[in-house]
Amino acid sequence: MSLTPEEKLNHYLCAPGNGVFTVQTAKEKKEVLHNRLYGVTGEEAEKAWRKKLQEFCYYKVDKPLVFGICHDTGGGILRGANWGPLFVRQALYDRFTEGSIAYDIGDIRVIPHLLMDKYLNSATVRSCRSALYDNEHFELAVSPLSIAYEVVRSAYELNEGARFFAIGGDHSISYPLTKAYIEQQKKRGKKVGIIHFDAHTDLLQQRLGIDICFGSWTYHILNDLERPYHVVQIGIRSSGKPKEHWEEKYGVKQYWNYDVQNRGMEAIASETIEHFQKEGIDEIYLTFDIDAIGEEYVSATGTPEPDGISPDEAITAIEMFAKHLNITSGDIAEVAPFVSTKHSGTDADEPESTLSAAGEVSRAIVDAMQFQK
Ligand SMILES: [Mn+2]
């Protein structure tokens, strides 16, 4: 039996911060968030969130939608990005009042052992449908990445111009999100570009036989774009191969961290803006892997890397992009608040330092989505 987009969203989502399936862990943290968003906690917060979701479905709210993907099964070095949505939301809403410029529709429901439905046999799909939806015959996705894709598609069915900001999660979340985004913009006759901040290229074809994961999602989205150089990567510094390899083999455009340090972020951002303008790009998806920022500021992440861009450089670039490009959706990934090992003798307080950077970056991306050109 097939369901309407409203019914799907009601099955696929849960209250903000509740996407990590726990009974007691971080309960207080969830209550703080719910109090802030709804003025109540527990079942009352659940009701208040569901009412907001109904409002979105009914009124097609035209603000950027915020949702969380508490998923780190696509990671594989240090896990813990499943806690990103709960903590990054707090940091984001510390910087502006939720409701003023964005609309929080909650977290997607996550079975933490799953990645994508295509990896599952039908008996597992049925059993997970029973667990999530109480009905093994509902034709609904059960894995986090498959659900993320369906949530974005359902939002588009309700509002064809929906804009969203997703909070991950490991970086594999950007695969279903950009996939759904590109399909939709193509339908609307729009030409799409992706700005990708990261320490890594994420251009592996597969990792240990798994094709969609944190290290490979970009490779798998290249064919969906009109040209591979409609992906611009910024901040790369940890790669087994040099820039020329990736640019020549895959056709992407890259600015490594040394480019940023040698030429300054403003020059890199200007060149990126000119590149997209020259290509006639209508809409931009901006994805930000928090490890683009150096581990001296950001160590609460799965693969921290030293000597990256600074939070200020990131904000400078995003604010320049916001002025000249049409950023209509985006995400932040790989914030892992409980993974706060101190590397390279840094003395930053963690995870506060990482969360402050993540909050600033998220605020800048959501702000960027306000400007429509
Ligand atoms: Mn990444």
Side-chain angles (χ1 to χ4, degrees):
M1 85 190 257
S2 64
L3 304 172
T4 66
E6 290 90 333
E7 288 169 328
K8 285 183 185 171
L9 289 177
N10 270 283
H11 283 301
Y12 282 145
L13 294 164
C14 59
N18 285 7
V20 185
F21 185 73
T22 62
V23 179
Q24 286 301 328
T25 312
K27 188 164 173 257
E28 284 158 31
K29 190 94 184 163
K30 291 179 186 179
E31 287 180 350
V32 169
L33 178 65
H34 293 162
N35 235 328
R36 165 180 216 151
L37 293 177
Y38 310 117
V40 286
T41 59
E43 280 178 24
E44 290 304 307
E46 191 77 20
K47 276 189 212 155
W49 158 73
R50 212 168 270 287
K51 194 162 158 256
K52 272 202 83 175
L53 183 61
Q54 303 312 338
E55 277 171 16
F56 163 68
C57 293
Y58 191 75
Y59 297 111
K60 332 277 187 236
V61 179
D62 197 30
K63 288 178 181 170
L65 305 173
V66 172
F67 64 95
I69 307 174
C70 303
H71 158 82
D72 60 11
T73 310
I77 309 284
L78 283 175
R79 300 286 177 92
N82 60 329
W83 289 103
L86 179 59
F87 286 73
V88 174
R89 262 198 191 86
Q90 303 267 14
L92 172 62
Y93 298 149
D94 280 346
R95 287 162 175 84
F96 70 84
T97 317
E98 189 273 345
S100 59
I101 60 169
Y103 199 87
D104 200 322
I105 57 168
D107 283 349
I108 69 161
R109 298 172 70 196
V110 167
I111 299 178
H113 319 289
L114 306 184
L115 186 59
M116 261 178 110
D117 285 2
K118 69 172 188 173
Y119 299 128
L120 302 177
N121 64 28
S122 55
T124 305
V125 170
R126 280 199 304 278
S127 128
C128 293
R129 277 179 182 158
S130 294
L132 285 181
Y133 315 120
D134 240 356
N135 186 333
E136 67 172 39
H137 301 295
F138 275 176
E139 284 173 20
L140 293 172
V142 295
S143 306
L145 298 188
S146 306
I147 292 178
Y149 177 72
E150 293 297 334
V151 162
V152 176
R153 280 166 44 108
S154 300
Y156 286 141
E157 275 188 65
L158 292 163
N159 175 3
E160 67 147 23
R163 292 163 289 154
F164 63 85
F165 176 68
I167 306 171
D170 75 75
H171 216 165
S172 64
I173 63 156
S174 298
Y175 177 74
L177 299 176
T178 53
K179 184 111 187 143
Y181 175 83
I182 295 167
E183 282 171 2
Q184 179 69 4
Q185 307 318 331
K186 272 189 187 164
K187 254 192 245 166
R188 303 169 69 220
K190 308 276 187 192
K191 211 165 152 177
V192 172
I194 296 177
I195 297 177
H196 173 193
F197 285 88
D198 210 314
H200 313 91
T201 68
D202 295 358
L203 281 168
L204 294 173
Q205 294 182 21
Q206 48 94 10
R207 189 171 185 267
L208 296 170
I210 299 299
D211 60 348
I212 305 298
C213 71
F214 71 138
S216 64
W217 74 270
T218 313
Y219 171 81
H220 291 279
I221 210 67
L222 289 182
N223 276 338
D224 294 50
L225 292 161
E226 198 168 293
R227 298 275 184 271
Y229 46 84
H230 294 167
V231 175
V232 174
Q233 303 186 310
I234 301 173
I236 310 292
R237 63 191 181 282
S238 177
S239 166
K241 304 247 165 55
K243 176 159 78 170
E244 296 68 33
H245 166 83
W246 302 110
E247 290 197 333
E248 280 160 26
K249 187 159 184 197
Y250 298 110
V252 297
K253 197 166 166 58
Q254 294 186 337
Y255 294 103
W256 281 44
N257 185 58
Y258 61 75
D259 294 311
V260 177
Q261 301 319 321
N262 291 343
R263 300 177 50 204
M265 186 56 104
E266 288 181 24
I268 302 300
S270 299
E271 210 169 282
T272 303
I273 291 164
E274 275 168 40
H275 168 69
F276 282 127
Q277 287 174 337
K278 205 174 86 210
E279 289 295 315
I281 297 295
D282 300 301
E283 303 212 8
I284 299 274
Y285 186 100
L286 194 154
T287 174
F288 201 103
D289 187 323
I290 199 68
D291 67 28
I293 297 176
E295 75 171 347
E296 49 284 21
Y297 306 97
V298 163
S299 68
T301 184
T303 49
E305 305 284 354
D307 305 323
I309 63 174
S310 69
D312 282 350
E313 285 169 328
I315 302 305
T316 298
I318 297 169
E319 289 181 349
M320 285 177 66
F321 295 146
K323 279 199 194 109
H324 302 281
L325 300 170
N326 202 14
I327 295 171
T328 51
S329 285
D331 65 55
I332 187 163
E334 299 287 355
V335 178
F338 292 128
V339 177
S340 42
T341 40
K342 288 184 178 176
H343 301 261
S344 309
T346 61
D347 53 7
D349 279 337
E350 287 289 21
E352 289 75 17
S353 178
T354 300
L355 290 172
S356 151
E360 279 304 309
V361 164
S362 300
R363 196 246 346 125
I365 300 172
V366 174
D367 266 347
M369 289 162 57
Q370 310 301 317
F371 300 98
Q372 296 295 295
K373 276 156 233 86

